[in-house]
Amino acid sequence: SQQGEEDPQALSIQEGENATMNCSYKTSINNLQWYRQNSGRGLVHLILIRSNEREKHSGRLRVTLDTSKKSSSLLITASRAADTASYFCATDAPSNTGKLIFGQGTTLQVKP
Amino acid sequence: EPEVTQTPSHQVTQMGQEVILRCVPISNHLYFYWYRQILGQKVEFLVSFYNNEISEKSEIFDDQFSVERPDGSNFTLKIRSTKLEDSAMYFCASSAGPGRGYTFGSGTRLTVV
């Protein structure tokens, strides 16, 4: 698999349910970031977790990072219809140029 | 909240023409990037720019592409002799530094016909 692979590719849930998206990567990283993209729009930075962190919270978002398994998860609690979007993980490799490598993304649909 | 501004939002160009995509990064950011996203595909890194020079570029970023920071605020991506396969969303991003959060612009949708 490529750097920053996500699963599932698509997820459909009811409003109020939790949504969990997973990301795996292959190389060492400085940090891992999650982005959101509404259809046809730009990328919105959600959260950044550094390689020495294991868990991070921001509002209804919870991100975990397991560097031994080279994986991360994004949990959105109490989902809303407005959370419908594509979610991408991106890894920041230790190249000192800040280059991000994005995954294929998970398309989340939250039904009202 | 500071924003990265991209213009135009949509550009249609004839194959073989040159296009310039413009970006105004966040004023106190020092690192600038271009990414592209072909419809339905993942976001791909094109180039990073720091201290008035390219710090890293991908295989996609061949001689057809160039970047420039012509003044203290703009950051441009020039695509010479556009091809049909250059049709994509092009995103500009800026950052205060590697390992810091990135701010992306809303993108320019380039359509080559």
Side-chain angles (χ1 to χ4, degrees):
Chain A
S1 65
Q2 299 177 30
Q3 184 86 339
E5 286 293 299
E6 286 144 88
D7 79 271
Q9 290 188 348
L11 182 60
S12 181
I13 58 174
Q14 292 294 134
E15 208 165 25
E17 294 179 340
N18 295 342
T20 300
M21 290 160 266
N22 303 296
C23 168
S24 61
Y25 58 93
K26 298 184 81 174
T27 65
S28 60
I29 60 172
N30 278 336
N31 62 70
L32 186 145
Q33 303 177 32
W34 284 90
Y35 288 83
R36 166 193 164 128
Q37 184 181 36
N38 287 69
S39 180
R41 306 293 295 276
L43 296 153
V44 176
H45 179 259
L46 294 177
I47 198 164
L48 180 153
I49 185 165
R50 302 192 189 283
S51 59
N52 61 352
E53 297 175 308
R54 292 297 166 257
E55 187 171 312
K56 205 161 182 181
H57 298 254
S58 176
R60 294 185 295 113
L61 305 180
R62 175 179 165 249
V63 168
T64 63
L65 179 65
D66 186 335
T67 52
S68 67
K69 295 180 180 177
K70 291 187 166 58
S71 66
S72 174
S73 68
L74 170 68
L75 168 68
I76 304 174
T77 60
S79 62
R80 304 167 182 167
D83 295 328
T84 295
S86 291
Y87 293 82
F88 296 88
C89 70
T91 51
D92 184 352
S95 66
N96 290 324
T97 64
K99 167 186 171 182
L100 293 178
I101 301 175
F102 283 81
Q104 293 278 9
T106 294
T107 301
L108 173 66
Q109 181 186 29
V110 182
K111 300 174 186 174
Chain B
E1 181 96 24
E3 290 185 342
V4 172
T5 305
Q6 287 188 244
T7 54
S9 57
H10 191 183
Q11 174 128 17
V12 181
T13 189
Q14 295 270 343
M15 193 168 54
Q17 295 295 305
E18 174 183 287
V19 295
I20 297 176
L21 310 183
R22 302 182 191 279
C23 170
V24 179
I26 292 175
S27 60
N28 62 348
H29 283 183
L30 301 175
Y31 293 78
F32 314 113
Y33 309 89
W34 284 100
Y35 289 80
R36 80 172 185 188
Q37 185 181 32
I38 294 171
L39 186 64
Q41 298 187 24
K42 66 164 68 175
V43 177
E44 300 173 291
F45 169 79
L46 291 177
V47 66
S48 59
F49 191 88
Y50 170 71
N51 201 25
N52 285 322
E53 61 182 24
I54 291 173
S55 48
E56 187 171 357
K57 60 183 181 179
S58 71
E59 291 177 355
I60 303 167
F61 195 89
D62 59 21
D63 292 343
Q64 183 194 6
F65 294 88
S66 62
V67 289
E68 196 177 34
R69 189 156 162 81
D71 52 43
S73 59
N74 290 285
F75 179 51
T76 62
L77 173 69
K78 182 189 289 186
I79 309 175
R80 286 180 282 275
S81 190
T82 49
K83 307 169 196 166
L84 294 176
E85 54 264 38
D86 294 328
S87 295
M89 279 286 279
Y90 288 81
F91 294 105
C92 173
S94 70
S95 166
R100 310 281 293 273
Y102 296 72
T103 303
F104 279 80
S106 298
T108 293
R109 181 173 297 282
L110 177 65
T111 303
V112 182
V113 297

